[in-house]
Each structure stands twice: as C-alpha cells, then as structure tokens.
Amino acid sequence: MRRYLIAGNWKMFTTASEGIDLVQQLQSGLAKDPRDVDVLVAPPFTALQAVGEALSGSGIALAAQNMYWEREGAFTGETSPVMLKDVGCTHVILGHSERRQHFGETDDGVGRKTRSAIDNGLLPVVCVGELLAERESDRTLEVVERQVERAIRDVTPDEAARLVIAYEPVWAIGTGLAATPEQAQEIHVSIRKLVARSHGDVVAAETRILYGGSVKPSNATTLMSQPDIDGALVGGACLKAESFLQIIAFDKG
Ligand code: PGA
C-alpha cells in the first residue's frame, strides 16, 4: 500500500534561522492536527544541518535538492551523498527541471546520481517532466518516458519499489497553472506502466509517483484524489507553514 508523501522543495530560499522557524511552525501545526501522510522538506544546503537538528524526532524527513554522484574528490562546489547523510538527510531530490534547464543536468547524469544515492543510503526523488513546447508538439510521453527509463535503468526491483518519482510538467512550475488532475493522472499511469515493464507489476504498485507544479491548498485535494497521484512536490506554497500544512491536510478537502 502506497503512503502519501508531501514534499516541500524550498529551492534557493531561507537562511538557516528562517528554516528552523519554518519547521518549528510545521511541527507545532502537525502536533495539533496529526496527519497520516509522510512529510519531507528540502532546504538549501546551507540550512540542512540546522533544519535537520530542529527536525530531530519529529518524523518529518530531510532531503537535499541535489548531489554529485562521487563520494568524495576534487569536485569544487559539489556535495556528496556521504555528506548529505552526515547532516541527517534521508532523501535527495534529483533532476529537478531547474537543474536540467539552468545547470545542464542530463538524463544520464540523473541516472548516475540515482544509482549513487541508493548506494549511499539515500532515497532519491527523481523529477521528470516536459517543456511546454514538448507538450504542444505531442511529445510529452516520449520525453517523460525517456527521463524515467534512464533513471530506473540501473536499479533493482526492490530499489525501484522504494524510489519516488515526481512528475513535474515544466510549464506548471511556478506559473500558478497546475496540470489538471486528469492530465497529471494520464502521465502518472504511463510512468507506472513503464516501471511495470522494467520491474513488474508488484514493484510498480509500490513506487510512489508525486505530482509537482503549482500545487496549492485549493487544488491539492482534487489532484491527490487521482488513483495514481501519491503525493505532491510543492515549491512556492511550501515556504509558508500555513499553506504547506493545508496541503498536508489535503484529505480534509
Ligand atoms: P511550484 O514548484 O510548486 O512553485 O510550482 C514545484 C517544484 O518546482 O518542485
């Protein structure tokens, strides 16, 4: 049975002290109104340690927003999975479209990072999604399948079952224009079929597939009521405790 996962991607926002403040508000909100979903936050690197300490014992998981695939070495400016584990990360977001767009990340690099994250005890949240021009030219499935295929190629069935895939149409990120629940469900089904083709139906039924792109309190319930949407990767709306808590409480409608 898949559990819902609501993940907050803080992007390049918040200092360490602002991050502590935000997670303290999340913790007190969840203490008053506990929800039966997994919650994850992904602060910027500079806030990971402080936020990780503030989250200790809270049940909220900690993710980094990126990593390099080597464990150590002469790679100026990069951060390794070992270092992320050391500051308390359990997860890592990989292949976010902003990294693909602005920092030249490739499908192959995301595949290598996925393998390395697993080898070093981190659970990857692999992001995939098409550009507007790709959707408009009917290439959505081709693009998403290529991205997913490369990410899952080198993982075993057991690992694929624990993997989190986030479908984030690039045109929906930060635009206020989310995919409709039907548009998202259609792609989630295709992603699950692709996982089933490589790793079997039992595995595919376990893999969590999140939707991301302008998720907010007003659309969270309908998105998450789709059978193959197992949670959300939230950007803008996760930076305020109130709206992130409302999304976490999506089952209230
Ligand atoms: P958004 O970002 O919720 O601000 O659209 C989502 C993401 O980039 O993960």
Side-chain angles (χ1 to χ4, degrees):
M1 229 352 238
R2 302 188 296 269
R3 274 175 67 79
Y4 281 103
L5 170 63
I6 309 295
N9 172 12
W10 296 6
K11 308 195 180 186
M12 200 173 73
F13 294 98
T14 72
T15 60
S17 59
E18 288 165 348
I20 292 172
D21 196 42
L22 179 52
V23 293
Q24 282 172 347
Q25 290 180 51
L26 290 178
Q27 282 171 271
S28 65
L30 287 170
K32 278 188 222 125
D33 185 18
R35 316 301 310 172
D36 192 23
V37 299
D38 293 335
V39 178
L40 172 74
V41 293
F45 288 115
T46 49
L48 282 174
Q49 176 138 23
V51 169
E53 281 164 15
L55 285 178
S56 164
S58 69
I60 299 177
L62 185 70
Q65 299 173 17
N66 180 33
M67 56 165 247
Y68 192 52
W69 56 72
E70 295 289 350
R71 290 169 58 87
E72 61 179 12
F75 301 104
T76 303
E78 293 296 318
T79 309
S80 90
V82 178
M83 296 165 185
L84 299 180
K85 286 273 294 184
D86 184 49
V87 293
C89 290
T90 49
H91 293 67
V92 59
I93 297 174
L94 296 175
H96 189 279
S97 69
E98 284 151 17
R99 298 225 45 94
R100 295 177 190 259
Q101 259 184 311
H102 305 307
F103 303 100
E105 293 229 5
T106 60
D107 294 339
D108 203 51
V110 175
R112 291 180 75 167
K113 289 180 179 190
T114 302
R115 186 61 258 162
S116 167
I118 296 169
D119 286 340
N120 289 288
L122 290 168
L123 285 176
V125 178
V126 179
C127 302
V128 299
E130 80 288 1
L131 302 167
L132 182 59
E134 292 164 340
R135 174 161 284 264
E136 286 176 345
S137 56
D138 268 337
R139 293 178 51 224
T140 299
L141 276 182
E142 170 199 326
V143 170
V144 170
E145 290 195 354
R146 188 195 68 224
Q147 293 171 335
V148 173
E149 200 288 317
R150 181 59 192 93
I152 63 174
R153 193 165 74 197
D154 300 330
V155 306
T156 66
D158 269 3
E159 292 162 351
R162 279 180 284 123
L163 197 69
V164 179
I165 297 173
Y167 169 57
E168 301 203 297
V170 180
W171 47 271
I173 294 179
T175 58
L177 185 79
T180 64
E182 295 74 23
Q183 280 173 323
Q185 167 66 13
E186 182 196 356
I187 307 302
H188 284 227
V189 169
S190 303
I191 294 173
R192 203 176 299 288
K193 281 191 183 144
L194 190 63
V195 177
R197 274 211 297 280
S198 4
H199 295 298
D201 289 339
V202 177
V203 167
E206 291 290 313
T207 307
R208 287 192 283 190
I209 308 175
L210 313 185
Y211 167 78
S214 297
V215 175
K216 42 198 168 202
S218 59
N219 61 18
T221 305
T222 46
L223 282 163
M224 249 101 61
S225 62
Q226 296 295 315
D228 286 280
I229 301 186
D230 307 317
L233 180 53
V234 184
C238 79
L239 291 170
K240 292 263 178 298
E242 191 190 356
S243 48
F244 195 49
L245 285 165
Q246 281 169 0
I247 293 172
I248 292 169
F250 69 90
D251 55 336
K252 286 185 164 172

